[in-house]
Amino acid sequence: MTFSDSDIAYMKRALDLARGGAGHVSPNPMVGAVIVAPDGRIIGEGWHRRFGGPHAEVNAVRSVTDADRHLFPEATMYVTLEPCSHYGKTPPCALLLKECGFARVVVACGDPNPKVAGRGIAILRDAGIRVDEGLLRDEAYALNRPFMTAHRLRRPYVVLKWAQSSDGFMDAVRTDESAGAYRFSTALTSQIVHRRRAMVDAIAVGARTVLADNPRLDVRLVEGRAPQPIVFDRHGLLRDVTSPLLDRAILIGDENLDTVLHSLYSDHGITSLLVEGGASLLRSFIDAGLWDDAFVEVSPERLGEKWVAKAPSLPDVPVGCEYIGDNMILHYEAPITH
């Protein structure tokens, strides 16, 4: 399929709109939609703003003025993801587009969710609507990589995160056990961590991290919803421990990691998971090859002989490097497979 420069421009606009849902729509995908009249005017646009709320296509249709609604049978809708075809928290968008009678729908990327998976496009085509697929597909896929990965592999998209010294250690000997973990992050990089937490469905730590640091695993330095805490307690260390965190956490015992991830997806609806530590838990994900993104914050500080926890290492070359003050954040990314 050959697309025009105008097609590309309208889809880029839809992708820009879709990003407005970041941090608010998961486990749903970020989606944007643009409605274009035959004369090239954008007469409607919208995006999925929050989980449980109207989808992008609905918001786009609602934004069209009464004076322009008669143009639907001649208009084109550009949408970044295949319109849904099932009843969930909202009715199927594919049926709405069918009722509107659009002349053409341009879809960037198919929806891998088994509840959709081609059915939305089939509804439109069966209604006589021309559907063109694949415009800026790679960009649309990358925008919702966690969603795509979760539904393709039936496990959460896994993001690893840790901070370490320049000589490769995550913690130092503590003279006062009440002092908590050795801190490498700055005030600014801590905000970045909390923003990252707000972008995922769940956050995981190991039992020793809970015992040593009593973490809150919430979002408080930025606006956003708190993820579901998950605690891996493979050796029963928390059997007699009580804490507010454990009251709301999903506890994982000594189970196969691949099985655990599939269960988090199928039983709890978790499509993205941030793993923050400790070192042993992080290594288990790396060794199993069950990770998709990783962010490693490196402080210029050296721990020397004070170390107690060697940081994990990743087998790949970082795809990005950013300096936040004196600290460096390395970004690693597992290859995308469509």
Side-chain angles (χ1 to χ4, degrees):
M1 176 68 202
T2 301
F3 294 100
S4 68
D5 290 343
S6 295
D7 286 331
I8 294 170
Y10 294 132
M11 188 61 79
K12 284 184 175 178
R13 173 60 182 166
L15 287 167
D16 286 342
L17 290 168
R19 295 183 180 96
H24 303 287
V25 300
S26 184
N28 283 352
M30 293 177 280
V31 182
V34 172
I35 302 171
V36 180
D39 61 4
R41 286 184 301 121
I42 292 178
I43 59 174
E45 57 183 27
W47 68 95
H48 187 27
R49 294 173 177 266
R50 61 177 179 82
F51 177 69
H55 290 184
E57 300 94 324
V58 176
N59 287 330
V61 168
R62 289 177 178 175
S63 74
V64 179
T65 65
D66 291 340
D68 284 331
R69 284 180 172 265
H70 72 282
L71 296 172
F72 283 163
E74 304 172 76
T76 296
M77 173 177 280
Y78 296 83
V79 61
T80 58
L81 191 71
E82 175 183 3
C84 66
S85 58
H86 63 289
Y87 285 89
K89 291 184 177 295
T90 61
C93 291
L95 293 183
L96 172 65
L97 304 193
K98 174 182 174 181
E99 291 169 5
C100 290
F102 288 106
R104 180 186 181 215
V105 175
V106 181
V107 177
C109 193
D111 188 337
N113 186 337
K115 296 178 180 178
V116 184
R119 294 182 184 88
I121 289 173
I123 288 172
L124 300 179
R125 286 181 171 153
D126 288 346
I129 296 172
R130 173 183 169 184
V131 180
D132 296 326
E133 302 175 69
L135 176 57
L136 301 184
R137 178 180 184 274
D138 288 347
E139 290 88 338
Y141 190 101
L143 177 66
N144 284 305
R145 193 179 173 204
F147 174 84
M148 299 293 187
T149 299
H151 289 299
R152 281 179 49 253
L153 302 181
R154 302 189 64 79
R155 65 157 175 83
Y157 184 86
V158 176
V159 182
L160 309 180
K161 170 265 169 190
W162 71 86
Q164 65 177 61
S165 64
S166 61
D167 52 351
F169 299 101
M170 291 178 63
D171 205 356
V173 173
R174 307 179 195 188
T175 56
D176 180 0
E177 287 299 322
S178 66
Y182 200 91
R183 292 189 62 82
F184 299 107
S185 298
T186 67
L188 184 54
T189 59
S190 292
Q191 283 189 316
I192 293 172
V193 169
H194 280 242
R195 176 59 178 163
R196 197 162 286 135
R197 287 180 177 180
M199 301 291 285
V200 299
D201 297 336
I203 179 171
V205 295
R208 288 188 174 87
T209 297
V210 173
L211 291 172
D213 306 327
N214 191 26
R216 292 163 62 175
L217 302 187
D218 59 7
V219 174
R220 58 190 181 276
L221 301 182
V222 299
E223 290 188 5
R225 61 180 185 178
Q228 168 67 54
I230 297 173
V231 176
F232 284 76
D233 185 15
R234 291 163 170 162
H235 305 291
L237 301 179
L238 303 176
R239 192 174 293 115
D240 299 320
V241 175
T242 58
S243 76
L245 172 65
L246 295 178
D247 288 341
R248 59 190 179 93
I250 297 173
L251 293 178
I252 306 296
D254 186 15
E255 303 167 44
N256 175 271
L257 188 55
D258 190 64
T259 301
V260 168
L261 292 180
H262 283 293
S263 174
L264 292 177
Y265 169 84
S266 60
D267 298 337
H268 299 280
I270 293 171
T271 61
S272 53
L273 173 66
L274 178 64
V275 183
E276 289 202 0
S280 176
L281 182 62
L282 288 161
R283 285 193 194 95
S284 69
F285 278 86
I286 295 170
D287 292 345
L290 292 171
W291 66 281
D292 302 287
D293 254 335
F295 296 90
V296 181
E297 182 176 351
V298 183
S299 165
E301 186 166 358
R302 297 180 63 85
L303 293 187
E305 296 180 355
K306 298 184 293 183
W307 65 268
V308 294
K310 177 72 175 175
S313 60
L314 289 163
D316 302 273
V317 175
V319 297
C321 174
E322 180 181 12
Y323 279 90
I324 307 293
D326 293 331
N327 283 17
M328 174 175 63
I329 298 180
L330 299 174
H331 178 203
Y332 297 81
E333 197 174 80
I336 295 177
T337 56
H338 294 314

